[in-house]
């Protein structure tokens, strides 16, 4: 045992907390070292005096404290019961809650149905609607490019012809133009 | 000791299962010691009683979460130590300030057979008042210790917990407890000797 390092071993020894080999080593050291032996005796006396003084019972009215604690627990229980009752009174009755749930589910179903019907009408048939809803796969190519450009040329020709017809069928209202037509005609 | 073999652990489990008589039993058995520990720790009888009641209310409220991992006494003193340390940290010291000086002296003054080594050498054997003063000095010296040292010392000297049980109660190691108690013992002894020298 190192005298300067292990002074706390003496306190632990006085508390009966040194056991086994550590206890044996300390006892051997105390047998050889008069200084530590004297300190050990002093430490034991100090520890014993502290134990006696500090462990002396204090006056406690146990039954009064128990009664007060029971009252506090009862108050706590009443408060918790009151909170639970308030929470229950604010919540709707179970039957009404089911009605509300059913109404919400029906409203949602109706909205989905109307949405699907609108989609069908606007897209002109079931197939686009089914494609939009993901039930059927989308066509790989809606219009081939060659057809598209062919159609574009036809449309341009039609527009031109319509314009020509419009000019031909327009009645001449101008008097001079009418006189010229009669003169050359 | 296996916690499952501690009869008070079994009572705590019974309380968990709704046996309210187990609460009464544990309260009656432990509240005097808990009040004593708190009294030595905070220095006020009224506050000590409040703390003890708070601890048992907390025990009741948290009974569902109780896990029998240690002896009931170690677990209980963990709650008590925490309550006392929290109380010390809080600014609410009105009970202590309001309590008339001398009440603690009267309580400690009734301790029989305090050896000379814990008391001032000037103590007169025929003067009981001087003895009370000396014991009050011990209480004041305990209150002047740092909180962790105070808790460790009181758990050992006042409540008889082993170093291992104190380590559980204070959530620290046994070697730390050994150091705390040694320093507290030396400080206390030196302070009392100094007071004795001053009063001589």
């Amino acid at each position: 045992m190192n005298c300067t390092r292990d002074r706390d071993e003496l306190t632990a020894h006085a508390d009966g907390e040194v056991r086994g080999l550590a206890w044996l080593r300390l006892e051997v050291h105390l047998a050889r070292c008069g200084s530590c032996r004297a300190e050990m005796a002093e430490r034991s006396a100090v520890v014993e005096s502290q134990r006696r003084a500090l462990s002396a019972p204090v006056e406690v009215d146990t039954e009064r404290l128990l009664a007060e604690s029971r009252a506090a627990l009862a108050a706590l229980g009443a408060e918790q019961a009151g909170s639970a009752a308030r929470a229950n009174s604010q919540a709707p009755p179970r039957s009404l809650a089911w009605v509300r749930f059913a109404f919400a589910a029906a409203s949602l179903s109706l909205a989905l149905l109307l949405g699907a019907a609108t989609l069908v009408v606007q897209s002109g048939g079931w197939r686009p609607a089914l494609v939009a809803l993901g039930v059927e796969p989308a066509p790989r190519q809606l219009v081939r490019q060659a057809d598209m450009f062919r159609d574009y040329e036809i449309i341009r020709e039609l527009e031109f012809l319509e314009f020509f017809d419009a000019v031909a069928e327009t009645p001449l209202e101008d008097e001079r133009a009418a006189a010229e037509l009669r003169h050359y005609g | 000791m296996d916690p499952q073999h501690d009869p008070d652990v079994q009572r705590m489990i019974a309380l968990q299962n709704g046996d309210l008589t187990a609460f009464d039993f544990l309260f009656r058995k432990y509240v005097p010691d808990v009040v004593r520990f708190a009294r030595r720790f905070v220095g006020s009888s009224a506050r000590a009683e409040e703390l003890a009641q708070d601890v048992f209310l907390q025990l009741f409220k948290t009974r569902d979460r109780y896990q029998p991992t240690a002896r009931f006494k170690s677990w209980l003193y963990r709650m008590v130590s925490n309550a006392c340390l929290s109380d010390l940290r809080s600014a609410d010291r009105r009970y202590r300030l309001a309590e008339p000086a001398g009440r603690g002296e009267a309580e400690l003054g009734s301790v029989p057979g305090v050896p000379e080594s814990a008391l001032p050498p000037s103590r007169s054997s025929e003067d009981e008042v001087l003895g009370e003063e000396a014991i009050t000095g011990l209480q004041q010296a305990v209150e002047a210790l740092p909180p962790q040292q105070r808790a460790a010392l009181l758990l050992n000297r006042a409540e008889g917990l082993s170093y291992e049980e104190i380590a559980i109660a204070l959530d620290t190691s046994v070697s730390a407890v050994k150091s705390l108690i040694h320093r507290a013992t030396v400080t206390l002894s030196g302070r009392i000797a100094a007071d004795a020298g001053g009063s001589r």
Side-chain angles (χ1 to χ4, degrees), chain A residues 108-165:
Chain A
L108 185 64
S109 303
L110 188 62
L112 283 174
L113 197 63
L114 284 173
T118 306
L119 199 60
V120 167
V121 169
Q122 284 183 347
S123 58
W126 282 105
R127 187 173 167 77
L130 292 174
V131 169
L133 290 170
V135 177
E136 284 201 10
R140 294 181 65 186
Q141 197 170 19
L142 290 174
V143 179
R144 284 182 295 172
Q145 286 198 341
D147 294 346
M148 190 173 74
F149 286 119
R150 185 198 63 202
D151 293 344
Y152 181 63
E153 288 299 320
I154 292 169
I155 289 165
R156 281 186 61 190
E157 289 295 328
L158 284 173
E159 281 176 356
F160 177 74
L161 288 172
E162 281 171 8
F163 177 71
F164 183 78
D165 289 343

Side-chain angles (χ1 to χ4, degrees), chain A residues 9 15 50 55 63 70, chain B residues 24 28 36 157 163 178:
Chain A
E9 282 289 305
D15 280 326
Q50 289 176 356
S55 67
E63 291 307 314
R70 279 183 185 153
Chain B
D24 290 0
R28 286 194 177 99
R36 175 180 55 199
R157 304 285 151 74
Y163 284 14
K178 188 173 164 183

Side-chain angles (χ1 to χ4, degrees), chain B residues 119-122 190-200:
Chain B
L119 302 170
S122 62
R191 208 162 277 166
I192 288 168
D195 288 350
S199 64
R200 217 183 309 218

Side-chain angles (χ1 to χ4, degrees), chain A residues 8-9 11-12 15 17 43 45 49-56 63-66 68-70 73 76, chain B residues 24 27-28 31 36 40 49 53 57 60-61 111 113 115 117-118 138 156-158 162-163 178 182 188:
Chain A
D8 60 346
E9 282 289 305
T11 307
D15 280 326
E17 291 283 344
R43 190 71 51 83
S49 69
Q50 289 176 356
R51 187 163 283 135
R52 280 189 193 177
L54 295 173
S55 67
E63 291 307 314
R64 176 180 60 80
L65 293 180
L66 180 58
E68 288 174 3
S69 296
R70 279 183 185 153
L73 286 174
L76 184 74
Chain B
D24 290 0
F27 191 98
R28 286 194 177 99
V31 88
R36 175 180 55 199
R40 303 276 190 255
E49 288 185 354
Q53 285 179 314
L57 288 179
F60 187 86
K61 283 194 278 188
V111 179
S117 54
L138 177 65
N156 181 260
R157 304 285 151 74
S162 68
Y163 284 14
K178 188 173 164 183
H182 170 69
L188 213 58

Side-chain angles (χ1 to χ4, degrees), chain A residues 177-185:
Chain A
E180 282 179 3
L181 275 175
R182 278 194 299 274
H183 176 73
Y184 292 113

Side-chain angles (χ1 to χ4, degrees), chain B residues 115-185:
Chain B
E116 286 288 332
S117 54
L119 302 170
S122 62
R123 179 173 176 250
S124 164
S125 58
E126 69 275 6
D127 191 345
E128 197 59 38
V129 176
L130 276 182
E132 287 180 7
E133 283 176 2
I135 296 166
T136 305
L138 177 65
Q139 171 70 33
Q140 286 172 347
V142 167
E143 288 176 38
L145 289 171
Q148 287 285 327
Q149 286 185 28
R150 196 188 319 177
L153 185 92
L154 288 174
L155 286 171
N156 181 260
R157 304 285 151 74
E159 306 310 321
L161 266 66
S162 68
Y163 284 14
E164 194 178 342
E165 289 171 325
I166 296 168
I168 292 169
L170 297 182
D171 196 19
T172 188
S173 65
V174 173
S175 58
V177 169
K178 188 173 164 183
S179 175
L180 284 170
I181 290 179
H182 170 69
R183 281 185 282 150
T185 303

